[in-house]
């Protein structure tokens, strides 16, 4: 059985992700194992994930993934190079044959050409020349590549793709890269055209959901009304098309049909005189067409929980800001990963003079220090991720969820882990793969693996922060879907 790997955040899982999974089965056949490595409760953007690891796992398993694995917290919130490098290492560790990824450039030979070019001294000289002129690293990359007729390569998914391929080459991994071209939407798009029917980026969807949270997190309303409105809308839609028993069908799944006409983009400010439930319904109606049914259901429940518990993205960031501000002003943080003396001085100075997180980011940003890097450093400080623990090794793999096919593959790995098989000629070495968190804690020899102990502490810091800020306790066991 061919084993296909994906690296993703699924924050949230949208139609583009579903398209990728369906294309994998179309290209490689239905009888493939699809394994995804996802970031958990904290993401590479330097934020707490809109959906937690368990919500993302539920969505993944409900949309065609067989096995869900977590990228360790201390790697998941770092830059694109580290994020990609360690996720690909995990896929290879799991014995995956092919890593599939989306990219703006569909010709893998073009990306291979860029990788070769980036090794050359003349390219490095041009890159440095542009950076000395005051350009950012990404802008300098784009300008340098343009001189080699490779303009347009520096885009978010291409950058990740290059890092996946670089890791495969540098570490001589057995896994093979394969591109499925990203359809229509841009990775960081904030707006979509009114005629867009199926695809929108996770960034757009998160922004729209955050608008709902920011607008309504202080209000009380009946989510059951919204659900009923959605059900009635779908019933009417199905009935108009001659579908019998529409109410029974819709009760099982209250998502809209993908091709249903959605009204023009809704501006929350224009709905001030409309009842709260209707306003939220209209916003959900607007974004729903970009989401698979399972994912929409999970997002709906998450949104209900967050609003009823008065959570919004900005409030969460302000809570984090308070904790980190205290740590920066009272503790020594030079041992934290990605901190330099220059960055420390800038962060410390702006922290003293900033009352709000958004003000702090605005004051800290410079030509050589992007907001996203600052936000990642803030999480490093919050979670106490130290430079000397970042050895870029895979000490363990945590399984978040699996279906029957995924379970069978885990059994295969376990069989090959048996002592009597260690000296046999097979494709496996002993794997530290766990389905229960407590087993991970017990697995390390802390006397000789100091970094392992520090990594476990960071993971548990993440559990604690999630509980303190969101009131959610960490689960110990994976999600199992054997239907």
């Amino acid at each position: 059985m061919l084993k296909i790997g994906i690296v993703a955040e699924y924050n949230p899982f949208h139609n583009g992700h579903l398209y990728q999974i369906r294309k994998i089965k179309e290209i490689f056949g239905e009888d493939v194992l699809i394994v995804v490595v996802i970031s958990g409760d904290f993401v590479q953007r330097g934020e707490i994930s809109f959906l937690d690891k368990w919500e993302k796992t539920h969505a993944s398993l409900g949309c065609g993934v067989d096995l869900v694995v977590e990228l360790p917290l201390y790697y998941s919130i770092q830059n694109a190079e580290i994020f990609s490098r360690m996720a690909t290492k995990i896929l290879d560790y799991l014995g995956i044959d092919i890593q599939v990824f989306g990219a703006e450039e569909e010709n893998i030979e073009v990306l291979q050409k860029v990788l070769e070019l980036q090794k050359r001294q003349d390219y490095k000289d041009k890159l440095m020349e542009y950076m000395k002129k005051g350009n950012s690293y990404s802008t300098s990359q784009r300008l340098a590549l343009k001189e080699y007729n490779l303009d347009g390569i520096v885009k978010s998914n291409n950058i990740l793709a290059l890092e996946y391929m670089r890791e495969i080459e540098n570490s001589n991994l057995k896994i093979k890269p394969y591109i499925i071209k990203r359809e229509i939407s841009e990775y960081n798009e904030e707006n979509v055209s009114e005629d867009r029917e199926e695809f929108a980026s996770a960034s757009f969807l998160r922004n729209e959901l955050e608008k709902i949270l920011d607008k309504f997190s202080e209000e009380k309303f009946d989510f059951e009304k919204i659900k009923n409105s959605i059900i009635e809308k779908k019933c009417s839609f199905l009935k108009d098309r001659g579908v019998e028993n529409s109410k029974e069908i819709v009760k099982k799944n209250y998502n809209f049909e993908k091709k249903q006409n959605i009204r023009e983009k809704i501006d929350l400010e224009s709905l001030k005189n409309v009842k709260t439930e209707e306003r939220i319904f209209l916003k959900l109606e607007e974004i729903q067409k970009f989401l698979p049914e399972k994912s929409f259901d999970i997002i709906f429940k998450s949104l209900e929980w967050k609003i009823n518990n008065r959570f919004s993205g900005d409030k969460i960031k302000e809570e984090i800001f308070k904790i980190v501000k205290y740590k920066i002003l009272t503790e020594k943080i030079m041992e934290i990963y990605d901190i330099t003396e220059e960055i420390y001085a800038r962060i410390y100075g702006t922290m003293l003079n900033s009352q709000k997180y958004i003000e702090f980011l605005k004051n800290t940003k410079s030509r050589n220090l992007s907001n996203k890097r600052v936000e990642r450093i803030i999480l490093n400080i919050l979670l106490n991720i130290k430079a000397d623990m970042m050895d870029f090794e895979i000490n363990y793999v945590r399984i978040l969820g699996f279906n029957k096919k995924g379970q069978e593959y885990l059994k295969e790995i376990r069989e090959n882990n048996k002592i009597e098989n260690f000296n046999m000629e097979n494709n496996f070495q002993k794997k530290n793969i766990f389905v229960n968190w407590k087993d991970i804690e017990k697995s390390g020899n802390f006397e000789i693996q100091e970094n392992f102990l520090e990594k476990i502490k960071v993971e548990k810091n993440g559990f604690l922060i999630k509980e303190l800020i969101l009131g959610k306790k960490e689960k110990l066991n994976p999600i199992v879907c054997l239907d």
Side-chain angles (χ1 to χ4, degrees):
M1 178 172 59
L2 198 63
K3 301 176 287 295
I4 308 293
I6 300 170
V7 176
E9 289 197 317
Y10 290 163
N11 188 37
F13 190 108
H14 54 66
N15 284 341
H17 299 129
L18 184 63
Y19 169 83
Q20 184 184 57
I21 289 170
R22 288 177 173 173
K23 287 295 288 184
I24 286 171
K25 293 183 178 182
E26 177 186 315
I27 294 165
F28 298 104
E30 289 289 331
D31 189 29
V32 295
L33 178 81
I34 298 181
V35 178
V36 62
V37 176
I38 65 168
S39 51
D41 298 319
F42 298 82
V43 292
Q44 202 254 339
R45 295 168 57 85
E47 302 172 349
I48 289 184
S49 182
F50 184 87
L51 296 178
D52 68 32
K53 68 180 73 169
W54 306 110
E55 291 167 329
K56 291 189 277 190
T57 299
H58 268 298
S60 304
L61 294 174
C63 293
V65 172
D66 301 307
L67 183 62
V68 183
V69 176
E70 183 177 17
L71 180 62
L73 170 56
Y74 38 88
Y75 296 141
S76 70
I77 61 171
Q78 307 308 333
N79 61 34
E81 178 185 355
I82 295 171
F83 175 93
S84 305
R85 174 183 174 187
M86 300 315 299
T88 297
K89 271 191 171 185
I90 289 176
L91 289 176
D92 188 72
Y93 188 85
L94 288 166
I96 301 305
D97 300 306
I98 298 171
Q99 180 180 352
V100 170
F101 42 82
E104 291 85 2
E105 174 56 60
E106 63 182 329
N107 188 346
I108 202 165
E109 291 182 2
V110 172
L111 296 185
Q112 190 61 51
K113 183 179 178 181
V114 173
L115 283 182
E116 294 302 318
L117 177 63
Q118 290 176 336
K119 298 175 188 175
R120 287 166 40 179
Q121 190 59 47
D122 57 323
Y123 170 81
K124 294 176 182 178
D125 291 341
K126 291 181 186 296
L127 181 66
M128 187 58 65
E129 183 182 329
Y130 281 116
M131 290 181 71
K132 286 180 178 178
K133 291 180 180 179
N135 296 296
S136 68
Y137 180 73
S138 61
T139 299
S140 299
Q141 267 194 317
R142 180 176 56 79
L143 293 171
L145 287 170
K146 187 175 182 180
E147 294 196 29
Y148 297 90
N149 298 316
L150 289 167
D151 193 25
I153 292 296
V154 183
K155 294 182 178 180
S156 297
N157 286 277
N158 284 343
I159 291 170
L160 289 172
L162 287 166
E163 296 303 334
Y164 298 140
M165 294 169 65
R166 198 187 321 275
E167 175 57 25
I168 291 170
E169 180 181 301
N170 290 346
S171 296
N172 195 28
L173 304 182
K174 294 179 181 179
I175 195 169
K176 304 297 182 185
Y178 190 95
I179 293 175
I180 291 179
K181 191 176 188 302
R182 186 177 177 90
E183 290 294 321
I184 304 174
S185 65
E186 294 289 335
Y187 179 78
N188 289 315
E189 68 179 359
E190 295 185 0
N191 297 291
V192 299
S193 61
E194 292 173 6
D195 60 350
R196 186 84 67 80
E197 283 295 327
E198 292 185 78
F199 298 109
S201 72
S203 295
F204 168 77
L205 295 168
R206 277 196 309 275
N207 288 342
E208 294 301 297
L209 291 166
E210 287 292 353
K211 287 176 187 176
I212 294 174
L213 286 180
D214 291 339
K215 194 74 179 176
F216 301 118
S217 61
E218 295 301 324
E219 299 184 39
K220 289 185 178 181
F221 56 91
D222 186 357
F223 250 92
E224 197 63 30
K225 272 189 181 180
I226 301 173
K227 186 184 294 185
N228 289 337
S229 295
I230 296 173
I231 290 172
E232 290 302 319
K233 187 94 173 184
K234 179 86 177 273
C235 285
S236 175
F237 177 74
L238 292 174
K239 190 175 179 181
D240 289 346
R241 282 151 182 76
V243 177
E244 296 182 3
N245 302 319
S246 59
K247 286 190 176 180
E248 284 73 13
I249 294 171
V250 174
K251 281 179 183 177
K252 294 180 182 178
N253 195 326
Y254 48 82
N255 194 37
F256 300 114
E257 286 290 322
K258 186 183 293 184
K259 297 297 183 182
Q260 182 180 359
N261 289 327
I262 305 295
R263 67 190 67 209
E264 292 183 359
K265 185 173 177 62
I266 305 299
D267 180 3
L268 286 171
E269 292 301 316
S270 70
L271 300 174
K272 287 182 178 179
N273 297 322
V274 180
K275 289 183 179 180
T276 302
E277 288 84 359
E278 293 180 33
R279 293 160 74 187
I280 295 178
F281 165 70
L282 291 172
K283 287 301 292 182
L284 287 174
E285 184 184 15
E286 179 189 331
I287 68 171
Q288 168 288 322
K289 62 179 177 176
F290 302 120
L291 298 161
E293 295 174 351
K294 180 69 174 178
S295 184
F296 181 74
D297 183 45
I298 289 166
I299 290 170
F300 186 94
K301 291 173 183 174
S302 177
L303 198 64
E304 178 181 14
W305 182 86
K306 286 182 177 180
I307 290 180
N308 289 338
N309 286 278
R310 307 292 184 259
F311 287 119
S312 70
D314 287 342
K315 285 184 179 179
I316 291 171
K317 288 180 180 180
E318 290 303 327
E319 289 299 314
I320 290 174
F321 179 66
K322 291 175 188 176
I323 298 170
V324 172
K325 186 173 186 178
Y326 175 80
K327 286 174 69 72
I328 288 175
L329 299 181
T330 60
E331 299 177 10
K332 295 179 180 179
I333 62 167
M334 283 303 298
E335 61 184 5
I336 296 298
Y337 181 71
D338 204 23
I339 287 276
T340 64
E341 290 186 3
E342 182 181 353
I343 290 174
Y344 171 74
R346 189 166 187 85
I347 286 178
Y348 186 88
T350 52
M351 189 70 76
L352 284 173
N353 299 310
S354 302
Q355 299 303 313
K356 296 285 186 180
Y357 188 56
I358 190 168
E359 179 187 3
F360 164 74
L361 288 178
K362 182 180 179 181
N363 293 338
T364 307
K365 183 179 179 181
S366 69
R367 186 186 71 194
N368 297 317
L369 188 60
S370 69
N371 275 348
K372 284 304 162 192
R373 186 177 179 188
V374 172
E375 289 186 272
R376 286 193 285 267
I377 290 172
I378 289 299
L379 286 189
N380 286 341
I381 296 169
L382 176 73
L383 299 163
N384 203 31
I385 299 175
K386 298 176 182 177
D388 58 8
M389 62 167 272
M390 295 291 282
D391 56 11
F392 308 109
E393 296 294 333
I394 303 298
N395 300 96
Y396 57 87
V397 169
R398 185 184 185 189
I399 304 298
L400 296 180
F402 52 84
N403 61 16
K404 190 169 183 59
K405 192 183 289 186
Q407 183 185 51
E408 290 300 317
Y409 187 60
L410 291 175
K411 286 180 180 178
E412 183 180 333
I413 292 175
R414 188 166 64 243
E415 285 298 311
N416 283 276
N417 266 348
K418 288 181 178 179
I419 292 176
E420 59 265 29
N421 291 332
F422 286 173
N423 295 321
M424 293 175 60
E425 291 186 5
N426 57 40
N427 294 325
F428 291 88
Q429 297 176 338
K430 182 170 172 55
K431 307 291 187 184
N432 293 321
I433 298 171
F434 303 94
V435 296
N436 181 284
W437 171 257
K438 289 296 183 183
D439 290 334
I440 295 176
E441 289 189 50
K442 297 173 187 175
S443 67
N445 186 335
F446 298 137
E447 292 182 0
I448 63 173
Q449 292 179 286
E450 187 176 346
N451 285 349
F452 182 85
L453 178 58
E454 290 299 317
K455 290 174 180 178
I456 293 297
K457 286 180 179 178
V458 168
E459 296 275 24
K460 293 174 81 170
N461 287 344
F463 302 163
L464 179 60
I465 292 297
K466 182 171 70 170
E467 186 173 351
L468 285 174
I469 294 179
L470 298 178
K472 290 184 175 182
K473 284 184 175 291
E474 179 66 6
K475 297 177 183 178
L476 302 179
N477 294 307
I479 294 167
V480 181
C481 298
L482 300 181
D483 296 337

